[in-house]
Amino acid sequence: MSTTTRRYTYADLLNTPDDGNRYEIIDGELIVSAAPFERHQRFLYLLSRRFGDHVDRHRLGRIYFAPVDVLFSSGAT
């Protein structure tokens, strides 16, 4: 008897519900996390301001505060 494990793709990620959870796909596995606590978000905000000020002042690139999709591969390995 064989079992087939489904590998999730970026297309699957785009179809996840907007329900307050955070979805990501790591090595074809769908990972679901609850929304972060307010304290965590506040810390990220303050940290991003510090980094952002430095990066902007020295024209080093961009800082993204909110989650941004990063696609490392199309799923083919």
Side-chain angles (χ1 to χ4, degrees):
M1 176 180 192
S2 68
T3 58
T4 304
T5 303
R6 183 182 188 295
R7 293 183 60 81
Y8 287 87
T9 66
Y10 183 66
D12 295 318
L13 185 65
L14 294 176
N15 290 314
T16 55
D18 185 11
D19 59 5
N21 289 320
R22 188 173 69 111
Y23 295 88
E24 40 185 341
I25 296 173
I26 301 174
D27 196 26
E29 182 179 348
L30 181 65
I31 308 295
V32 183
S33 304
F37 292 106
E38 185 273 336
R39 182 177 175 202
H40 175 84
Q41 290 298 90
R42 180 69 182 159
F43 177 77
L44 287 180
Y45 165 73
L46 295 172
L47 188 62
S48 71
R49 284 197 49 193
R50 291 265 179 142
F51 280 125
D53 289 346
H54 177 80
V55 167
D56 290 347
R57 187 176 313 110
H58 298 284
R59 299 179 186 204
L60 298 173
R62 296 178 182 162
I63 299 290
Y64 294 98
F65 179 73
V68 176
D69 287 354
V70 176
L71 181 62
F72 291 109
S73 140
S74 64
T77 55

